[in-house]
Short mmCIF file of all heavy atoms in Angstrom, two decimals:
data_model
loop_
_atom_site.label_atom_id
_atom_site.label_comp_id
_atom_site.label_asym_id
_atom_site.label_seq_id
_atom_site.Cartn_x
_atom_site.Cartn_y
_atom_site.Cartn_z
N MET P 1 -29.37 115.62 -1.25
CA MET P 1 -30.78 115.85 -1.40
C MET P 1 -31.36 114.98 -2.52
O MET P 1 -32.42 114.43 -2.39
CB MET P 1 -30.99 117.33 -1.69
CG MET P 1 -32.39 117.73 -1.51
SD MET P 1 -32.83 117.45 0.20
CE MET P 1 -34.32 118.29 0.32
N LEU P 2 -30.60 114.87 -3.62
CA LEU P 2 -31.03 114.03 -4.73
C LEU P 2 -31.22 112.59 -4.26
O LEU P 2 -32.20 111.92 -4.61
CB LEU P 2 -30.03 114.09 -5.88
CG LEU P 2 -30.29 113.17 -7.05
CD1 LEU P 2 -31.59 113.56 -7.76
CD2 LEU P 2 -29.13 113.22 -8.03
N TYR P 3 -30.30 112.13 -3.43
CA TYR P 3 -30.38 110.75 -2.92
C TYR P 3 -31.68 110.54 -2.14
O TYR P 3 -32.36 109.52 -2.31
CB TYR P 3 -29.17 110.44 -2.05
CG TYR P 3 -29.26 109.09 -1.38
CD1 TYR P 3 -29.04 107.94 -2.10
CD2 TYR P 3 -29.59 108.99 -0.03
CE1 TYR P 3 -29.14 106.70 -1.51
CE2 TYR P 3 -29.69 107.75 0.57
CZ TYR P 3 -29.46 106.62 -0.18
OH TYR P 3 -29.54 105.39 0.42
N LEU P 4 -32.04 111.46 -1.28
CA LEU P 4 -33.27 111.31 -0.48
C LEU P 4 -34.50 111.31 -1.37
O LEU P 4 -35.44 110.54 -1.14
CB LEU P 4 -33.37 112.42 0.55
CG LEU P 4 -32.38 112.32 1.72
CD1 LEU P 4 -32.52 113.54 2.63
CD2 LEU P 4 -32.61 111.05 2.50
N LYS P 5 -34.51 112.15 -2.40
CA LYS P 5 -35.64 112.16 -3.32
C LYS P 5 -35.75 110.80 -4.02
O LYS P 5 -36.84 110.27 -4.19
CB LYS P 5 -35.47 113.27 -4.36
CG LYS P 5 -35.69 114.65 -3.82
CD LYS P 5 -35.51 115.67 -4.91
CE LYS P 5 -35.65 117.07 -4.38
NZ LYS P 5 -35.43 118.09 -5.42
N LEU P 6 -34.62 110.25 -4.43
CA LEU P 6 -34.63 108.95 -5.11
C LEU P 6 -35.03 107.84 -4.14
O LEU P 6 -35.74 106.91 -4.53
CB LEU P 6 -33.25 108.66 -5.69
CG LEU P 6 -32.85 109.49 -6.90
CD1 LEU P 6 -31.39 109.21 -7.26
CD2 LEU P 6 -33.76 109.23 -8.07
N TRP P 7 -34.57 107.91 -2.90
CA TRP P 7 -34.85 106.86 -1.93
C TRP P 7 -36.37 106.69 -1.71
O TRP P 7 -36.88 105.60 -1.71
CB TRP P 7 -34.17 107.18 -0.60
CG TRP P 7 -34.45 106.14 0.45
CD1 TRP P 7 -35.37 106.21 1.45
CD2 TRP P 7 -33.83 104.86 0.57
NE1 TRP P 7 -35.35 105.07 2.20
CE2 TRP P 7 -34.41 104.23 1.68
CE3 TRP P 7 -32.84 104.21 -0.12
CZ2 TRP P 7 -34.03 102.96 2.09
CZ3 TRP P 7 -32.45 102.95 0.30
CH2 TRP P 7 -33.05 102.35 1.39
N PHE P 8 -37.06 107.79 -1.52
CA PHE P 8 -38.49 107.71 -1.23
C PHE P 8 -39.34 107.45 -2.46
O PHE P 8 -40.51 107.11 -2.32
CB PHE P 8 -38.96 108.98 -0.52
CG PHE P 8 -38.41 109.08 0.89
CD1 PHE P 8 -37.46 110.03 1.21
CD2 PHE P 8 -38.82 108.19 1.86
CE1 PHE P 8 -36.95 110.12 2.50
CE2 PHE P 8 -38.31 108.26 3.15
CZ PHE P 8 -37.37 109.24 3.47
N SER P 9 -38.76 107.59 -3.64
CA SER P 9 -39.56 107.33 -4.84
C SER P 9 -39.26 105.98 -5.48
O SER P 9 -39.79 105.68 -6.53
CB SER P 9 -39.34 108.46 -5.85
OG SER P 9 -38.00 108.50 -6.27
N ALA P 10 -38.43 105.15 -4.84
CA ALA P 10 -38.14 103.81 -5.38
C ALA P 10 -39.43 103.02 -5.44
O ALA P 10 -40.08 102.79 -4.42
CB ALA P 10 -37.11 103.10 -4.51
N ASP P 11 -39.83 102.66 -6.64
CA ASP P 11 -41.13 102.01 -6.80
C ASP P 11 -41.06 100.65 -7.49
O ASP P 11 -42.08 100.03 -7.74
CB ASP P 11 -42.07 102.93 -7.56
CG ASP P 11 -41.52 103.35 -8.90
OD1 ASP P 11 -40.43 102.90 -9.28
OD2 ASP P 11 -42.19 104.15 -9.58
N GLY P 12 -39.86 100.20 -7.84
CA GLY P 12 -39.72 98.88 -8.45
C GLY P 12 -40.00 98.84 -9.94
O GLY P 12 -40.07 97.77 -10.52
N THR P 13 -40.10 99.98 -10.58
CA THR P 13 -40.35 99.97 -12.02
C THR P 13 -39.02 99.92 -12.79
O THR P 13 -38.00 100.39 -12.31
CB THR P 13 -41.13 101.24 -12.46
OG1 THR P 13 -40.35 102.39 -12.14
CG2 THR P 13 -42.46 101.33 -11.78
N PRO P 14 -39.06 99.36 -14.00
CA PRO P 14 -37.86 99.33 -14.83
C PRO P 14 -37.35 100.74 -15.16
O PRO P 14 -36.15 100.97 -15.25
CB PRO P 14 -38.30 98.62 -16.10
CG PRO P 14 -39.49 97.82 -15.71
CD PRO P 14 -40.14 98.58 -14.62
N VAL P 15 -38.26 101.69 -15.30
CA VAL P 15 -37.87 103.06 -15.62
C VAL P 15 -37.02 103.65 -14.48
O VAL P 15 -36.03 104.35 -14.72
CB VAL P 15 -39.12 103.95 -15.85
CG1 VAL P 15 -38.75 105.39 -16.03
CG2 VAL P 15 -39.88 103.44 -17.05
N TYR P 16 -37.39 103.34 -13.25
CA TYR P 16 -36.61 103.81 -12.11
C TYR P 16 -35.23 103.18 -12.11
O TYR P 16 -34.25 103.85 -11.87
CB TYR P 16 -37.35 103.48 -10.81
CG TYR P 16 -36.72 104.09 -9.60
CD1 TYR P 16 -37.02 105.38 -9.22
CD2 TYR P 16 -35.80 103.38 -8.84
CE1 TYR P 16 -36.42 105.96 -8.13
CE2 TYR P 16 -35.20 103.95 -7.74
CZ TYR P 16 -35.52 105.25 -7.39
OH TYR P 16 -34.92 105.81 -6.30
N GLY P 17 -35.15 101.89 -12.42
CA GLY P 17 -33.85 101.22 -12.53
C GLY P 17 -32.99 101.84 -13.61
O GLY P 17 -31.77 102.02 -13.44
N GLN P 18 -33.59 102.20 -14.74
CA GLN P 18 -32.84 102.86 -15.81
C GLN P 18 -32.35 104.23 -15.36
O GLN P 18 -31.23 104.63 -15.71
CB GLN P 18 -33.72 102.99 -17.05
CG GLN P 18 -33.96 101.66 -17.73
CD GLN P 18 -34.97 101.75 -18.85
OE1 GLN P 18 -35.68 102.76 -18.97
NE2 GLN P 18 -35.03 100.72 -19.67
N ALA P 19 -33.14 104.94 -14.59
CA ALA P 19 -32.73 106.24 -14.07
C ALA P 19 -31.49 106.11 -13.20
O ALA P 19 -30.57 106.93 -13.27
CB ALA P 19 -33.87 106.91 -13.31
N ILE P 20 -31.46 105.07 -12.39
CA ILE P 20 -30.29 104.85 -11.53
C ILE P 20 -29.05 104.58 -12.39
O ILE P 20 -27.99 105.12 -12.14
CB ILE P 20 -30.53 103.67 -10.57
CG1 ILE P 20 -31.60 104.06 -9.53
CG2 ILE P 20 -29.24 103.26 -9.86
CD1 ILE P 20 -32.04 102.92 -8.65
N ARG P 21 -29.22 103.76 -13.45
CA ARG P 21 -28.09 103.47 -14.34
C ARG P 21 -27.59 104.75 -15.02
O ARG P 21 -26.39 104.95 -15.16
CB ARG P 21 -28.47 102.44 -15.39
CG ARG P 21 -28.88 101.08 -14.85
CD ARG P 21 -27.73 100.38 -14.16
NE ARG P 21 -28.09 99.09 -13.66
CZ ARG P 21 -28.73 98.85 -12.53
NH1 ARG P 21 -29.11 99.85 -11.78
NH2 ARG P 21 -29.00 97.63 -12.14
N TRP P 22 -28.50 105.60 -15.46
CA TRP P 22 -28.10 106.85 -16.10
C TRP P 22 -27.34 107.73 -15.10
O TRP P 22 -26.35 108.37 -15.47
CB TRP P 22 -29.31 107.62 -16.63
CG TRP P 22 -29.67 107.19 -18.02
CD1 TRP P 22 -30.75 106.47 -18.39
CD2 TRP P 22 -28.93 107.45 -19.21
NE1 TRP P 22 -30.75 106.25 -19.75
CE2 TRP P 22 -29.64 106.84 -20.28
CE3 TRP P 22 -27.74 108.12 -19.49
CZ2 TRP P 22 -29.18 106.91 -21.60
CZ3 TRP P 22 -27.29 108.18 -20.81
CH2 TRP P 22 -28.02 107.57 -21.83
N CYS P 23 -27.79 107.77 -13.87
CA CYS P 23 -27.09 108.57 -12.87
C CYS P 23 -25.68 108.04 -12.63
O CYS P 23 -24.74 108.83 -12.48
CB CYS P 23 -27.88 108.59 -11.57
SG CYS P 23 -29.40 109.55 -11.65
N TYR P 24 -25.53 106.71 -12.62
CA TYR P 24 -24.19 106.13 -12.51
C TYR P 24 -23.32 106.57 -13.68
O TYR P 24 -22.20 107.01 -13.51
CB TYR P 24 -24.25 104.60 -12.53
CG TYR P 24 -24.60 103.93 -11.24
CD1 TYR P 24 -25.51 102.88 -11.22
CD2 TYR P 24 -23.98 104.26 -10.04
CE1 TYR P 24 -25.83 102.23 -10.04
CE2 TYR P 24 -24.30 103.61 -8.86
CZ TYR P 24 -25.22 102.60 -8.88
OH TYR P 24 -25.53 101.95 -7.73
N LEU P 25 -23.85 106.45 -14.91
CA LEU P 25 -23.10 106.77 -16.12
C LEU P 25 -22.71 108.25 -16.21
O LEU P 25 -21.61 108.57 -16.64
CB LEU P 25 -23.90 106.39 -17.37
CG LEU P 25 -24.03 104.91 -17.65
CD1 LEU P 25 -24.97 104.69 -18.82
CD2 LEU P 25 -22.69 104.29 -17.94
N LEU P 26 -23.62 109.11 -15.82
CA LEU P 26 -23.35 110.54 -15.92
C LEU P 26 -22.51 111.07 -14.76
O LEU P 26 -22.14 112.22 -14.75
CB LEU P 26 -24.67 111.31 -15.99
CG LEU P 26 -25.51 111.01 -17.24
CD1 LEU P 26 -26.85 111.75 -17.16
CD2 LEU P 26 -24.76 111.40 -18.50
N GLY P 27 -22.27 110.23 -13.76
CA GLY P 27 -21.43 110.65 -12.64
C GLY P 27 -22.12 111.61 -11.69
O GLY P 27 -21.46 112.41 -11.03
N LEU P 28 -23.45 111.55 -11.61
CA LEU P 28 -24.17 112.48 -10.74
C LEU P 28 -23.91 112.23 -9.26
O LEU P 28 -24.19 113.08 -8.43
CB LEU P 28 -25.67 112.40 -11.02
CG LEU P 28 -26.10 112.86 -12.40
CD1 LEU P 28 -27.60 112.67 -12.57
CD2 LEU P 28 -25.73 114.31 -12.62
N PHE P 29 -23.39 111.07 -8.94
CA PHE P 29 -23.15 110.73 -7.54
C PHE P 29 -21.68 110.83 -7.18
O PHE P 29 -21.27 110.48 -6.11
CB PHE P 29 -23.70 109.34 -7.23
CG PHE P 29 -25.16 109.24 -7.59
CD1 PHE P 29 -25.55 108.43 -8.62
CD2 PHE P 29 -26.10 109.98 -6.93
CE1 PHE P 29 -26.88 108.36 -8.96
CE2 PHE P 29 -27.43 109.92 -7.27
CZ PHE P 29 -27.83 109.09 -8.30
N GLY P 30 -20.86 111.27 -8.12
CA GLY P 30 -19.44 111.45 -7.88
C GLY P 30 -18.68 110.16 -7.76
O GLY P 30 -19.19 109.07 -7.96
N LYS P 31 -17.43 110.30 -7.45
CA LYS P 31 -16.53 109.15 -7.31
C LYS P 31 -16.38 108.71 -5.87
O LYS P 31 -15.61 107.83 -5.55
CB LYS P 31 -15.15 109.48 -7.89
CG LYS P 31 -15.20 109.92 -9.33
CD LYS P 31 -15.67 108.80 -10.22
CE LYS P 31 -15.67 109.26 -11.66
NZ LYS P 31 -16.33 108.35 -12.56
N ASP P 32 -17.12 109.34 -4.99
CA ASP P 32 -17.04 109.04 -3.56
C ASP P 32 -17.54 107.62 -3.31
O ASP P 32 -18.67 107.29 -3.67
CB ASP P 32 -17.88 110.05 -2.80
CG ASP P 32 -17.83 109.84 -1.29
OD1 ASP P 32 -16.91 109.16 -0.82
OD2 ASP P 32 -18.72 110.36 -0.60
N PRO P 33 -16.72 106.77 -2.68
CA PRO P 33 -17.15 105.39 -2.39
C PRO P 33 -18.40 105.34 -1.51
O PRO P 33 -19.23 104.45 -1.67
CB PRO P 33 -15.97 104.77 -1.66
CG PRO P 33 -14.81 105.65 -1.95
CD PRO P 33 -15.36 107.01 -2.26
N LYS P 34 -18.56 106.29 -0.62
CA LYS P 34 -19.74 106.33 0.25
C LYS P 34 -20.99 106.57 -0.57
O LYS P 34 -22.02 105.92 -0.35
CB LYS P 34 -19.56 107.42 1.30
CG LYS P 34 -20.63 107.41 2.37
CD LYS P 34 -20.35 108.45 3.43
CE LYS P 34 -21.40 108.45 4.50
NZ LYS P 34 -21.13 109.45 5.53
N ALA P 35 -20.91 107.46 -1.55
CA ALA P 35 -22.05 107.73 -2.43
C ALA P 35 -22.37 106.50 -3.26
O ALA P 35 -23.55 106.17 -3.48
CB ALA P 35 -21.76 108.93 -3.32
N THR P 36 -21.36 105.80 -3.72
CA THR P 36 -21.57 104.60 -4.51
C THR P 36 -22.27 103.53 -3.68
O THR P 36 -23.21 102.89 -4.17
CB THR P 36 -20.22 104.06 -5.04
OG1 THR P 36 -19.58 105.08 -5.79
CG2 THR P 36 -20.41 102.83 -5.90
N ARG P 37 -21.88 103.37 -2.44
CA ARG P 37 -22.54 102.38 -1.58
C ARG P 37 -24.00 102.75 -1.34
O ARG P 37 -24.87 101.90 -1.33
CB ARG P 37 -21.79 102.28 -0.23
CG ARG P 37 -20.52 101.46 -0.31
CD ARG P 37 -19.98 101.10 1.05
NE ARG P 37 -19.80 102.24 1.95
CZ ARG P 37 -18.71 103.00 2.00
NH1 ARG P 37 -17.70 102.75 1.22
NH2 ARG P 37 -18.65 104.01 2.85
N LYS P 38 -24.25 104.05 -1.16
CA LYS P 38 -25.64 104.48 -0.97
C LYS P 38 -26.49 104.15 -2.19
O LYS P 38 -27.61 103.69 -2.08
CB LYS P 38 -25.70 105.99 -0.70
CG LYS P 38 -25.32 106.40 0.68
CD LYS P 38 -25.51 107.89 0.85
CE LYS P 38 -25.28 108.33 2.27
NZ LYS P 38 -25.54 109.77 2.45
N MET P 39 -25.94 104.37 -3.37
CA MET P 39 -26.68 104.10 -4.59
C MET P 39 -26.89 102.59 -4.77
O MET P 39 -27.91 102.16 -5.28
CB MET P 39 -25.99 104.69 -5.79
CG MET P 39 -26.09 106.20 -5.84
SD MET P 39 -27.78 106.82 -5.56
CE MET P 39 -28.66 106.09 -6.90
N GLU P 40 -25.91 101.80 -4.39
CA GLU P 40 -26.08 100.35 -4.45
C GLU P 40 -27.20 99.89 -3.54
O GLU P 40 -28.01 99.03 -3.92
CB GLU P 40 -24.77 99.65 -4.10
CG GLU P 40 -23.71 99.78 -5.18
CD GLU P 40 -22.34 99.28 -4.77
OE1 GLU P 40 -22.16 98.92 -3.57
OE2 GLU P 40 -21.47 99.25 -5.63
N ARG P 41 -27.30 100.47 -2.36
CA ARG P 41 -28.41 100.13 -1.46
C ARG P 41 -29.75 100.56 -2.05
O ARG P 41 -30.74 99.85 -1.95
CB ARG P 41 -28.19 100.77 -0.09
CG ARG P 41 -27.14 100.08 0.74
CD ARG P 41 -27.21 100.46 2.21
NE ARG P 41 -27.26 101.90 2.46
CZ ARG P 41 -26.23 102.63 2.85
NH1 ARG P 41 -25.08 102.08 3.05
NH2 ARG P 41 -26.38 103.91 3.05
N LEU P 42 -29.76 101.72 -2.68
CA LEU P 42 -30.97 102.20 -3.31
C LEU P 42 -31.38 101.28 -4.47
O LEU P 42 -32.55 100.95 -4.62
CB LEU P 42 -30.74 103.61 -3.84
CG LEU P 42 -31.91 104.30 -4.53
CD1 LEU P 42 -33.10 104.40 -3.57
CD2 LEU P 42 -31.50 105.67 -5.00
N ASP P 43 -30.41 100.82 -5.22
CA ASP P 43 -30.68 99.90 -6.33
C ASP P 43 -31.23 98.57 -5.79
O ASP P 43 -32.16 98.00 -6.35
CB ASP P 43 -29.40 99.66 -7.11
CG ASP P 43 -29.64 99.15 -8.51
OD1 ASP P 43 -30.75 99.36 -9.05
OD2 ASP P 43 -28.72 98.57 -9.09
N LYS P 44 -30.68 98.11 -4.68
CA LYS P 44 -31.18 96.86 -4.07
C LYS P 44 -32.61 97.03 -3.60
O LYS P 44 -33.44 96.13 -3.73
CB LYS P 44 -30.28 96.45 -2.90
CG LYS P 44 -28.96 95.88 -3.33
CD LYS P 44 -28.11 95.49 -2.15
CE LYS P 44 -26.73 95.07 -2.59
NZ LYS P 44 -25.86 94.74 -1.48
N LYS P 45 -32.92 98.21 -3.03
CA LYS P 45 -34.28 98.46 -2.56
C LYS P 45 -35.24 98.41 -3.75
O LYS P 45 -36.31 97.80 -3.67
CB LYS P 45 -34.36 99.82 -1.88
CG LYS P 45 -35.77 100.20 -1.44
CD LYS P 45 -35.81 101.58 -0.81
CE LYS P 45 -37.23 101.93 -0.43
NZ LYS P 45 -37.35 103.27 0.09
N ASN P 46 -34.88 99.06 -4.84
CA ASN P 46 -35.72 99.06 -6.02
C ASN P 46 -35.87 97.64 -6.58
O ASN P 46 -36.95 97.24 -6.98
CB ASN P 46 -35.16 100.00 -7.09
CG ASN P 46 -36.16 100.30 -8.17
OD1 ASN P 46 -37.25 100.76 -7.89
ND2 ASN P 46 -35.81 100.01 -9.40
N PHE P 47 -34.78 96.87 -6.57
CA PHE P 47 -34.84 95.49 -7.05
C PHE P 47 -35.79 94.65 -6.20
O PHE P 47 -36.58 93.87 -6.74
CB PHE P 47 -33.46 94.84 -7.08
CG PHE P 47 -33.53 93.36 -7.22
CD1 PHE P 47 -33.97 92.79 -8.41
CD2 PHE P 47 -33.19 92.52 -6.18
CE1 PHE P 47 -34.06 91.41 -8.55
CE2 PHE P 47 -33.28 91.15 -6.30
CZ PHE P 47 -33.70 90.59 -7.49
N LYS P 48 -35.74 94.81 -4.90
CA LYS P 48 -36.62 94.03 -4.03
C LYS P 48 -38.09 94.30 -4.35
O LYS P 48 -38.88 93.38 -4.40
CB LYS P 48 -36.34 94.33 -2.57
CG LYS P 48 -35.07 93.68 -2.07
CD LYS P 48 -34.82 94.02 -0.61
CE LYS P 48 -33.53 93.44 -0.13
NZ LYS P 48 -33.26 93.74 1.26
N LYS P 49 -38.43 95.57 -4.58
CA LYS P 49 -39.80 95.90 -4.94
C LYS P 49 -40.15 95.32 -6.32
O LYS P 49 -41.23 94.81 -6.51
CB LYS P 49 -40.00 97.41 -4.95
CG LYS P 49 -40.02 97.99 -3.54
CD LYS P 49 -40.34 99.46 -3.59
CE LYS P 49 -40.43 100.00 -2.17
NZ LYS P 49 -40.90 101.39 -2.15
N TRP P 50 -39.20 95.38 -7.23
CA TRP P 50 -39.41 94.85 -8.58
C TRP P 50 -39.62 93.33 -8.52
O TRP P 50 -40.50 92.79 -9.15
CB TRP P 50 -38.23 95.21 -9.47
CG TRP P 50 -38.37 94.79 -10.90
CD1 TRP P 50 -39.05 95.45 -11.88
CD2 TRP P 50 -37.84 93.63 -11.51
NE1 TRP P 50 -38.96 94.77 -13.05
CE2 TRP P 50 -38.23 93.64 -12.85
CE3 TRP P 50 -37.07 92.57 -11.04
CZ2 TRP P 50 -37.87 92.64 -13.75
CZ3 TRP P 50 -36.72 91.57 -11.94
CH2 TRP P 50 -37.11 91.61 -13.25
N GLN P 51 -38.78 92.65 -7.74
CA GLN P 51 -38.86 91.20 -7.61
C GLN P 51 -40.17 90.79 -6.95
O GLN P 51 -40.78 89.80 -7.36
CB GLN P 51 -37.68 90.66 -6.80
CG GLN P 51 -37.64 89.15 -6.77
CD GLN P 51 -36.47 88.64 -5.96
OE1 GLN P 51 -36.12 89.24 -4.94
NE2 GLN P 51 -35.86 87.59 -6.41
N LYS P 52 -40.61 91.55 -6.00
CA LYS P 52 -41.87 91.26 -5.33
C LYS P 52 -43.04 91.30 -6.32
O LYS P 52 -43.96 90.48 -6.25
CB LYS P 52 -42.09 92.29 -4.20
CG LYS P 52 -43.28 92.03 -3.32
CD LYS P 52 -43.30 93.10 -2.22
CE LYS P 52 -44.54 93.01 -1.40
NZ LYS P 52 -44.59 94.06 -0.37
N ASN P 53 -42.99 92.25 -7.24
CA ASN P 53 -44.05 92.39 -8.24
C ASN P 53 -43.95 91.38 -9.38
O ASN P 53 -44.97 90.98 -9.92
CB ASN P 53 -44.04 93.80 -8.84
CG ASN P 53 -44.42 94.85 -7.82
OD1 ASN P 53 -45.08 94.56 -6.84
ND2 ASN P 53 -43.97 96.07 -8.04
N THR P 54 -42.73 91.00 -9.76
CA THR P 54 -42.57 90.16 -10.96
C THR P 54 -42.13 88.75 -10.64
O THR P 54 -42.40 87.85 -11.43
CB THR P 54 -41.53 90.77 -11.91
OG1 THR P 54 -40.26 90.80 -11.27
CG2 THR P 54 -41.94 92.16 -12.38
N GLY P 55 -41.41 88.55 -9.53
CA GLY P 55 -40.91 87.21 -9.17
C GLY P 55 -39.72 86.80 -9.99
O GLY P 55 -39.36 85.63 -10.02
N LYS P 56 -39.05 87.72 -10.66
CA LYS P 56 -37.90 87.40 -11.50
C LYS P 56 -36.59 87.65 -10.77
O LYS P 56 -36.56 88.25 -9.71
CB LYS P 56 -37.96 88.23 -12.80
CG LYS P 56 -39.15 87.86 -13.64
CD LYS P 56 -39.14 88.61 -14.95
CE LYS P 56 -40.32 88.20 -15.80
NZ LYS P 56 -40.34 88.91 -17.09
N SER P 57 -35.50 87.18 -11.37
CA SER P 57 -34.17 87.24 -10.74
C SER P 57 -33.50 88.61 -10.95
O SER P 57 -33.97 89.44 -11.72
CB SER P 57 -33.27 86.16 -11.33
OG SER P 57 -32.94 86.48 -12.67
N PHE P 58 -32.36 88.78 -10.28
CA PHE P 58 -31.60 90.01 -10.40
C PHE P 58 -31.07 90.18 -11.82
O PHE P 58 -31.01 91.30 -12.34
CB PHE P 58 -30.44 90.03 -9.40
CG PHE P 58 -29.76 91.36 -9.30
CD1 PHE P 58 -30.40 92.45 -8.78
CD2 PHE P 58 -28.46 91.51 -9.76
CE1 PHE P 58 -29.77 93.69 -8.69
CE2 PHE P 58 -27.83 92.75 -9.67
CZ PHE P 58 -28.48 93.82 -9.14
N GLU P 59 -30.69 89.09 -12.48
CA GLU P 59 -30.24 89.15 -13.87
C GLU P 59 -31.33 89.72 -14.76
O GLU P 59 -31.07 90.53 -15.66
CB GLU P 59 -29.81 87.76 -14.36
CG GLU P 59 -28.48 87.31 -13.82
CD GLU P 59 -27.32 88.19 -14.27
OE1 GLU P 59 -27.29 88.59 -15.45
OE2 GLU P 59 -26.47 88.50 -13.42
N ASP P 60 -32.56 89.29 -14.55
CA ASP P 60 -33.70 89.81 -15.31
C ASP P 60 -33.87 91.31 -15.07
O ASP P 60 -34.14 92.08 -15.99
CB ASP P 60 -35.00 89.08 -14.99
CG ASP P 60 -34.95 87.62 -15.39
OD1 ASP P 60 -34.35 87.32 -16.45
OD2 ASP P 60 -35.50 86.79 -14.66
N TYR P 61 -33.69 91.70 -13.82
CA TYR P 61 -33.78 93.13 -13.45
C TYR P 61 -32.72 93.95 -14.19
O TYR P 61 -33.00 94.99 -14.75
CB TYR P 61 -33.62 93.29 -11.95
CG TYR P 61 -33.52 94.71 -11.47
CD1 TYR P 61 -34.63 95.54 -11.46
CD2 TYR P 61 -32.32 95.23 -10.99
CE1 TYR P 61 -34.55 96.84 -11.00
CE2 TYR P 61 -32.24 96.52 -10.53
CZ TYR P 61 -33.35 97.33 -10.54
OH TYR P 61 -33.27 98.62 -10.09
N LEU P 62 -31.50 93.42 -14.21
CA LEU P 62 -30.43 94.14 -14.91
C LEU P 62 -30.68 94.21 -16.40
O LEU P 62 -30.40 95.20 -17.04
CB LEU P 62 -29.08 93.46 -14.64
CG LEU P 62 -28.52 93.63 -13.24
CD1 LEU P 62 -27.21 92.89 -13.10
CD2 LEU P 62 -28.33 95.10 -12.89
N ASN P 63 -31.23 93.15 -16.97
CA ASN P 63 -31.54 93.17 -18.40
C ASN P 63 -32.58 94.25 -18.72
O ASN P 63 -32.50 94.87 -19.77
CB ASN P 63 -32.05 91.82 -18.88
CG ASN P 63 -30.93 90.79 -18.92
OD1 ASN P 63 -29.76 91.14 -19.02
ND2 ASN P 63 -31.29 89.53 -18.84
N VAL P 64 -33.53 94.45 -17.84
CA VAL P 64 -34.55 95.47 -18.07
C VAL P 64 -34.00 96.86 -17.78
O VAL P 64 -34.23 97.80 -18.52
CB VAL P 64 -35.78 95.20 -17.16
CG1 VAL P 64 -36.74 96.36 -17.19
CG2 VAL P 64 -36.47 93.92 -17.59
N ALA P 65 -33.24 96.99 -16.71
CA ALA P 65 -32.75 98.30 -16.27
C ALA P 65 -31.46 98.73 -16.95
O ALA P 65 -31.05 99.87 -16.84
CB ALA P 65 -32.54 98.30 -14.77
N ARG P 66 -30.83 97.80 -17.66
CA ARG P 66 -29.54 98.11 -18.29
C ARG P 66 -29.75 99.16 -19.38
O ARG P 66 -30.69 99.12 -20.14
CB ARG P 66 -28.95 96.86 -18.91
CG ARG P 66 -27.51 97.03 -19.31
CD ARG P 66 -26.92 95.69 -19.68
NE ARG P 66 -26.65 94.95 -18.46
CZ ARG P 66 -26.95 93.67 -18.29
NH1 ARG P 66 -27.52 92.99 -19.25
NH2 ARG P 66 -26.69 93.07 -17.16
N VAL P 67 -28.81 100.08 -19.45
CA VAL P 67 -28.90 101.15 -20.45
C VAL P 67 -28.21 100.69 -21.72
O VAL P 67 -27.22 100.06 -21.71
CB VAL P 67 -28.21 102.44 -19.91
CG1 VAL P 67 -28.19 103.52 -20.97
CG2 VAL P 67 -28.91 102.90 -18.68
#
């Protein structure tokens, strides 16, 4: 359920990217490889929206979203 809430609220903001990183760090998605793949897709979706707004690279996105 948490994943679906996050999926529909992906808005391309750095704060959203930081939230994803915190969820990774706190283990909210477990160690399940399937959950990890889902979160990676969610992160890519957020990055695409962020890149569309800013025109910057993935490295720039990670620098902003990195915890």
Side-chain angles (χ1 to χ4, degrees):
M1 195 62 167
L2 175 64
Y3 174 75
L4 289 176
K5 288 180 183 178
L6 289 173
W7 179 261
F8 291 111
S9 63
D11 57 3
T13 61
V15 174
Y16 188 85
Q18 289 173 347
I20 292 173
R21 299 295 181 279
W22 273 109
C23 289
Y24 279 135
L25 288 174
L26 296 176
L28 295 177
F29 305 112
K31 303 295 181 191
D32 182 18
K34 188 176 180 180
T36 302
R37 282 193 308 272
K38 282 184 174 183
M39 288 313 299
E40 288 171 354
R41 284 197 310 258
L42 181 59
D43 201 22
K44 286 179 186 177
K45 177 183 178 184
N46 194 56
F47 165 68
K48 285 180 183 180
K49 288 185 176 187
W50 183 82
Q51 186 180 37
K52 186 177 173 182
N53 293 336
T54 63
K56 295 184 179 181
S57 70
F58 190 68
E59 286 297 317
D60 295 323
Y61 173 72
L62 288 178
N63 288 337
V64 170
R66 193 170 284 135
V67 176

